[in-house]
Amino acid sequence: MTPNLLILGGTTEATALANLMAERGLQGTVSFAGRVDRPRRQPLPQRVGGFGGVEGLTRYIRDHKITHLVDATHPFAAQMSRNAVLAAAEAGIPMLALTRPAWQPQPGDRWTHVPDIAAAVQALDGPGRRVMLAVGRMHLDDFAPNPQHTYLLRLVDPPKTPPPFPQYNVVVDRGPFTVDGDRALMEQHGIELIVSKNAGGTGASAKLEAARALHLPVIMIDRPALPDRHEVATPQQVLDWLAHAGTDLGV
């Protein structure tokens, strides 16, 4: 049977996998959730939008004769990742996660770990500061209870509505970023604190190195818990898995 992959994308790793598959002449589709207005063009066919939960994803897998499912979504796309595990099991196909290793604190880092967005909001209680809020466009409204801060927002797309706090600056940019560039950005805006999801990978890690160099504290939001699943860290490992899926990986 010729493999026909469905890649749940939206990350640098998903694009790298799509490029590698195209080079090898492999068949697949890259799916985007639609949260970014200008997703990177893919060398494979692509679709945009949700599936309609586990039932809808299972139906898509069957209707499009998908043979393998790869979850290469953002580490914080927890609901999609849970749906992927359940839908693959329901459809009876092998499933793999291509995910970035989480960031780990290094000597000189001043991290405070919090379990979720709500805890990060609570951690911002107190006098106003200049905060680099690196949590993505979808979570800005969650920080409305702390309007005393001046926020620096770096977003892939401009916000569709004004953020829910009175003092903010928006930088529209897409990574990967550099340490020198992030340090200059923080110094330009007088940043005193960074709030970040533990996204992992190299594309957005520059802000953490810049924070370390500037001795700035970081509120680090830990990753959500996910069901047990087989995970790899590189696109080549996905192709290695593809050659054996259904046999030695217990799927």
Side-chain angles (χ1 to χ4, degrees):
M1 177 187 298
T2 301
N4 180 25
L5 275 68
L6 174 61
I7 303 170
L8 306 178
T11 60
T12 302
E13 292 76 15
T15 298
L17 174 59
N19 285 325
L20 186 58
M21 287 179 57
E23 291 171 5
R24 303 289 177 87
L26 296 173
Q27 181 178 346
T29 301
V30 182
S31 177
F32 294 100
R35 293 181 176 176
V36 174
D37 290 340
R38 297 171 291 112
R40 296 183 189 276
R41 289 296 305 171
Q42 304 294 305
L44 297 176
Q46 62 191 66
R47 66 173 298 280
V48 178
F51 292 95
V54 175
E55 181 180 351
L57 179 54
T58 303
R59 183 167 55 251
Y60 181 93
I61 290 170
R62 289 172 172 162
D63 290 349
H64 292 81
K65 297 180 171 55
I66 301 299
T67 63
H68 300 75
L69 178 62
V70 177
D71 178 7
T73 58
H74 192 278
F76 281 76
Q79 189 59 59
M80 187 70 252
S81 292
R82 295 185 187 106
N83 289 353
V85 171
L86 296 173
E90 179 68 22
I93 65 168
M95 180 263 174
L96 180 74
L98 172 58
T99 188
R100 318 161 180 172
W103 291 318
Q104 301 296 328
Q106 303 299 315
D109 284 334
R110 300 173 57 197
W111 290 10
T112 298
H113 288 273
V114 294
D116 50 31
I117 292 287
V121 173
Q122 186 175 8
L124 287 181
D125 288 347
R129 287 182 284 182
R130 304 187 71 85
V131 178
M132 183 175 184
L133 189 58
V135 298
R137 183 178 64 182
M138 303 298 293
H139 291 290
L140 295 184
D141 286 351
D142 293 315
F143 289 83
N146 283 300
Q148 71 274 28
H149 304 298
T150 299
Y151 293 100
L152 172 62
L153 313 174
R154 183 166 60 192
L155 306 171
V156 175
D157 300 304
K160 298 183 183 300
T161 59
F165 24 75
Q167 303 173 98
Y168 63 89
N169 296 286
V170 175
V171 175
V172 178
D173 200 359
R174 187 195 296 262
F177 303 105
T178 67
V179 177
D180 288 344
D182 275 7
R183 179 169 180 166
L185 182 68
M186 292 175 188
E187 291 178 328
Q188 175 188 350
H189 290 272
I191 296 302
E192 300 171 274
L193 172 69
I194 294 94
V195 179
S196 175
K197 295 178 178 178
N198 194 333
T202 59
S205 63
K207 62 179 175 288
L208 302 178
E209 296 185 48
R212 187 183 311 133
L214 295 171
H215 309 290
L216 296 177
V218 176
I219 296 173
M220 183 61 71
I221 304 168
D222 293 332
R223 294 182 176 188
L226 293 174
D228 288 337
R229 57 188 188 163
H230 189 73
E231 297 183 358
V232 297
T234 69
Q236 182 57 54
Q237 288 176 303
V238 175
L239 297 195
D240 295 342
W241 164 82
L242 183 62
H244 302 94
T247 56
D248 62 348
L249 290 177
V251 291

